[in-house]
Amino acid sequence: MTLTEYNFDGLAGPTHGYSGLSPGNLASERHAGASANPRAAALQGLGKMRFLTELGVHQAVLPPQPRPDVASLRRWGFSGSDAEVVARALACDETLVRWASSASAMWTANAATVAPSTDTSDGRLHLTVANLSSMVHRSLEAATTYRVLGRIFADEERFAVHEPLPGPGAFSDEGAANHCRLASDAGRVHLFAWGRSASGAARTAPRRYPARQTREASEAVARLNQVGDAALSWRQAPDGIDAGAFHTDVLALGNENVLLLHELAFVDAERLLGELGSRLGANFRACLARSDELPVADAVASYPFNSQLVTLPDRTMALVAPEEARQNPAALRYLERVQAQVPEVGRLCFVDVNASMKNGGGPACLRLRVPLCEDERNAVTARVFAGEALLSDLEAWVKRRYRDRFTLHDLADPEFLRELETALDELSTLLGLGSVYEFQRA
């Protein structure tokens, strides 16, 4: 059975902004309170999708979530009309509104963890929605993500969409940002990364920033996704987390038989590479960056490992990196070494996703990788696969519905709140998703 990978990109929402809500995400902290242009951010993301489509990479789209999340504000004790709820929350504690208005759902690498039907014991595609319980603002995403993915992958004979793990605590799950699927003729490996263990198995913890993913969550997701012996659970390096690698995809990137990583991505990286080599065989390729070649501060600042490594129609690979990696000499030298030393990587490209980078998300953060066979692709009836017609429709929708400036206090305007709901209602119709938003179901 032949698989084709589809990159499901998240759209920046109409209230895209910079709230600085994620300790350990250095870019997010640095740009907290910066002025935001939601229209430009969304068009930038669509531009990346269009670029990858032109390369021959298959694209799909996931919609923004309703922000502000008025339903959560109500659960936190505020009452009245939607406008009154937001106004009262702003007057009480602005942080509550920042949590409820975060742009974070656009980074769909955190939406779920995916196992293709070729790898699972029941022969279905499995998606386990991430609970994102380590951060308040991200934990608000899971319910809508579950409804959206359930609507897209609705055929239960072919797809299994699992609810988020019960959290927080022992089962804190950050999704595919801490998961990498590698494959060769010799086998498959689902590499699950974790930063802490609720049982205390990891004695050395990061000292500066929190470790978000637990070992227990990674192992539970592997069981739910039915990948069996293909699962390999490995610990993130505490020093890497303290340097700003809050997710593994900040310091490691894999595709098929190729793994790119920094020496601070995992504990005992050399032993990990040996284990992967024994499972994947002689054509496993790894390109390890050491700190004297690429200081971890440069890797975190410019995100060369948060690139997209994608397979092109001619079976070569393209490495699609953020512009910031081209502008950083150490990161650029490493990427050029990858292209020179890894024969599969035939092309190095750069894209401008600065609106996302300011919040700590490079090209890889913006997409959830979903490998589908032809029958599975045909079973998806929602209009989410990105061809020219859909991309043009989405660009027109963004230009019509998004503002070019957003501040938190714009939410005090009742007309703006109605404007946001009208925009998302129109989008859910455009994508053929039906009533996936809570305000549509009320």
Side-chain angles (χ1 to χ4, degrees):
M1 183 165 55
T2 301
L3 292 177
T4 299
E5 182 174 272
Y6 290 82
N7 289 272
F8 278 74
D9 275 35
L11 272 179
T15 56
H16 173 81
Y18 306 103
S19 296
L21 295 171
S22 294
N25 181 337
L26 303 187
S28 173
E29 293 178 330
R30 186 166 59 251
H31 292 99
S35 61
N37 183 335
R39 184 188 303 158
L43 292 174
Q44 200 172 74
L46 288 168
K48 179 182 81 78
M49 293 175 64
R50 186 180 290 278
F51 174 74
L52 283 160
T53 299
E54 290 169 353
L55 286 179
V57 177
H58 295 272
Q59 286 286 153
V61 65
L62 291 177
Q65 299 210 1
R67 295 293 181 267
D69 184 350
V70 179
S72 288
L73 292 173
R74 291 185 187 279
R75 287 191 287 270
W76 297 338
F78 299 100
S79 60
S81 67
D82 286 358
E84 289 169 340
V85 165
V86 174
R88 288 167 180 164
L90 279 169
C92 175
D93 186 347
E94 190 174 289
T95 298
L96 300 176
V97 182
R98 287 194 286 130
W99 282 341
S101 305
S102 169
S104 57
M106 66 188 281
W107 295 293
T108 56
N110 298 110
T113 304
V114 180
S117 54
T118 54
D119 298 4
T120 63
S121 59
D122 68 357
R124 293 188 295 170
L125 173 83
H126 285 253
L127 306 95
T128 297
V129 175
N131 60 33
L132 299 172
S133 62
S134 66
M135 299 285 164
V136 173
H137 65 290
R138 297 228 61 175
S139 70
L140 305 182
E141 300 168 22
T144 299
T145 298
Y146 180 66
R147 284 196 299 271
V148 169
L149 293 179
R151 189 64 55 87
I152 293 171
F153 301 103
D155 185 344
E156 294 183 2
E157 290 186 4
R158 293 180 171 86
F159 309 123
V161 180
H162 301 287
E163 293 186 72
L165 298 174
F171 293 100
S172 178
D173 176 27
E174 298 287 301
N178 277 339
H179 167 263
C180 176
R181 176 184 182 265
L182 298 167
S184 72
D185 291 340
R188 308 284 186 270
V189 174
H190 285 258
L191 177 59
F192 290 88
W194 56 275
R196 60 186 173 92
S197 172
S199 68
R203 296 178 182 176
T204 304
R207 293 164 301 209
R208 186 177 183 189
Y209 296 121
R212 303 186 187 186
Q213 182 89 18
T214 65
R215 185 190 66 176
E216 291 79 6
S218 293
E219 292 173 351
V221 171
R223 289 190 292 269
L224 287 168
N225 282 7
Q226 299 189 17
V227 295
D229 292 340
L232 176 62
S233 185
W234 211 273
R235 189 177 166 217
Q236 296 169 267
D239 287 345
I241 294 172
D242 279 338
F246 53 101
H247 293 136
T248 299
D249 65 3
V250 176
L251 291 180
L253 167 64
N255 181 55
E256 296 190 3
N257 64 317
V258 176
L259 179 66
L260 316 179
L261 72 163
H262 194 277
E263 65 177 341
L264 291 182
F266 300 97
V267 299
D268 203 350
E270 295 282 5
R271 187 165 67 88
L272 170 62
L273 294 179
E275 176 67 21
L276 292 172
S278 69
R279 294 189 181 207
L280 294 169
N283 72 337
F284 170 60
R285 317 283 189 202
C287 195
L288 177 69
R290 300 197 181 277
S291 295
D292 57 358
E293 173 192 15
L294 176 56
V296 68
D298 286 288
V300 170
S302 61
Y303 272 33
F305 296 101
N306 202 254
S307 304
Q308 288 182 249
L309 186 58
V310 293
T311 302
L312 302 179
D314 65 1
R315 302 306 301 166
T316 64
M317 297 184 194
L319 187 54
V320 182
E323 278 289 346
E324 286 80 355
R326 174 155 54 184
Q327 296 162 11
N328 184 293
L332 179 59
R333 283 194 297 271
Y334 170 73
L335 292 175
E336 290 175 338
R337 179 165 75 86
V338 169
Q339 188 179 19
Q341 294 183 358
V342 181
E344 289 85 349
V345 181
R347 186 166 179 177
L348 176 59
C349 315
F350 297 91
V351 292
D352 182 4
V353 288
N354 182 254
S356 176
M357 287 286 288
K358 286 181 178 179
N359 260 330
C365 280
L366 288 164
R367 60 90 179 97
L368 180 69
R369 307 170 79 165
V370 182
L372 299 170
C373 69
E374 186 176 2
D375 286 347
E376 292 164 345
R377 162 65 176 82
N378 293 335
V380 174
T381 59
R383 189 184 180 227
V384 292
F385 296 107
E388 176 59 36
L390 179 59
L391 289 172
S392 295
D393 286 349
L394 290 171
E395 287 166 347
W397 172 76
V398 167
K399 291 173 183 176
R400 184 172 63 253
R401 292 298 185 185
Y402 281 45
R403 297 185 178 189
D404 61 6
R405 181 181 178 276
F406 169 70
T407 67
L408 198 66
H409 287 273
D410 291 336
L411 299 175
D413 178 5
E415 183 57 37
F416 185 39
L417 296 179
R418 286 192 289 271
E419 186 180 306
L420 295 172
E421 288 193 354
T422 299
L424 293 183
D425 198 42
E426 183 179 315
L427 178 65
S428 63
T429 300
L430 189 155
L431 297 178
L433 293 174
S435 298
V436 291
Y437 296 128
E438 193 161 338
F439 72 82
Q440 294 173 317
R441 297 151 51 89

